[in-house]
Amino acid sequence: SQQGEEDPQALSIQEGENATMNCSYKTSINNLQWYRQNSGRGLVHLILIRSNEREKHSGRLRVTLDTSKKSSSLLITASRAADTASYFCATDPAVGDTGGFKTIFGAGTRLFVKA
Amino acid sequence: NAGVTQTPKFRVLKTGQSMTLLCAQDMNHEYMYWYRQDPGMGLRLIHYSVGEGTTAKGEVPDGYNVSRLKKQNFLLGLESAAPSQTSVYFCASSQTQEGYTFGSGTRLTVV
């Protein structure tokens, strides 16, 4: 079973609107990251939020983390057609015996921004 | 600023054939990873390495082998390809667990 699950699976909005994607996970984490993937390309790291942080901003991106609900959200404000991509959350589980290196990716949210 | 380079970008194999996927990074990262991406499944970790000369199994290691003889290179081998290994393979590297750099992927089809 996957650690991170994004919701919705797909999202279609008009340019200028805000896009919100959610991620839920199952175990305690050290950090949660969001990545972006354009069609046919590799993933690109967008933003990281640590387990002791509740909100983080980067440009038009806003990430929140609620460790009590084991969930995170990614908000893209004033979306543009160029934001069309898949967005993945990735969690670094705080599991003692793994030694790290087990960042787990969700299945992603496909965002389509119509011009 | 090449980052992570994967070769080849596309490959078609017949069942039973073998091949090696090459990943090279120029950022002096300690850690390297091989993932596969299948529709609706997200990325699944195949093998990873925490340094030159070390490798470890990930979530889905069966049917694959890896080697990290040089710090900058991480090779993924398929000894006897099966149709179930049709996928897009991504290599990634990192210096910490706080942000991976990915290659552009290898699309492999096994017929």
Side-chain angles (χ1 to χ4, degrees):
Chain A
S1 61
Q2 295 183 23
Q3 162 77 323
E5 296 187 1
E6 289 91 342
D7 171 64
Q9 291 186 327
L11 180 61
S12 181
I13 60 174
Q14 291 291 138
E15 204 167 31
E17 293 180 338
N18 295 340
T20 299
M21 289 158 271
N22 302 298
C23 171
S24 60
Y25 57 92
K26 298 177 181 177
T27 67
S28 297
I29 59 172
N30 293 318
N31 65 65
L32 185 146
Q33 303 165 53
W34 285 90
Y35 288 80
R36 165 191 168 130
Q37 183 181 35
N38 289 87
S39 181
R41 307 298 296 273
L43 280 71
V44 175
H45 186 258
L46 293 177
I47 193 167
L48 175 147
I49 186 165
R50 295 189 174 85
S51 60
N52 62 352
E53 298 175 313
R54 291 297 166 260
E55 186 171 314
K56 208 161 183 181
H57 297 256
S58 177
R60 293 184 296 114
L61 304 180
R62 172 177 170 255
V63 171
T64 61
L65 179 64
D66 187 335
T67 53
S68 66
K69 296 181 179 179
K70 292 187 169 58
S71 67
S72 174
S73 67
L74 171 67
L75 169 68
I76 303 174
T77 60
S79 63
R80 306 165 181 167
D83 294 328
T84 294
S86 291
Y87 292 83
F88 295 84
C89 71
T91 52
D92 176 24
V95 179
D97 62 350
T98 65
F101 319 114
K102 293 291 182 67
T103 296
I104 301 172
F105 291 81
T109 292
R110 296 189 309 278
L111 173 66
F112 181 65
V113 181
K114 293 176 283 188
Chain B
N1 57 344
V4 176
T5 303
Q6 290 183 234
T7 53
K9 294 190 184 306
F10 303 94
R11 186 74 185 268
V12 178
L13 284 180
K14 293 182 179 179
T15 297
Q17 285 185 319
S18 64
M19 78 163 294
T20 300
L21 283 67
L22 173 63
C23 176
Q25 53 99 358
D26 62 1
M27 298 166 286
N28 202 36
H29 285 169
E30 288 294 331
Y31 315 127
M32 297 186 74
Y33 318 84
W34 276 106
Y35 286 88
R36 60 178 288 172
Q37 184 177 35
D38 302 294
M41 299 289 291
L43 278 77
R44 291 184 290 170
L45 183 64
I46 304 171
H47 285 281
Y48 64 97
S49 168
V50 301
E52 182 179 312
T54 74
T55 63
K57 295 180 180 180
E59 181 185 356
V60 288
D62 294 342
Y64 306 94
N65 58 75
V66 288
S67 65
R68 185 133 179 242
L69 298 180
K70 293 183 178 180
K71 186 176 184 178
Q72 64 267 35
N73 296 338
F74 196 29
L75 279 62
L76 178 71
L78 285 73
E79 293 182 341
S80 179
S84 61
Q85 294 177 304
T86 292
S87 187
V88 182
Y89 292 85
F90 286 100
C91 177
S93 71
S94 70
Q95 190 57 26
T96 68
Q97 284 299 91
E98 297 190 348
Y100 290 10
T101 301
F102 281 83
S104 58
T106 294
R107 187 173 296 274
L108 175 67
T109 301
V110 183
V111 297

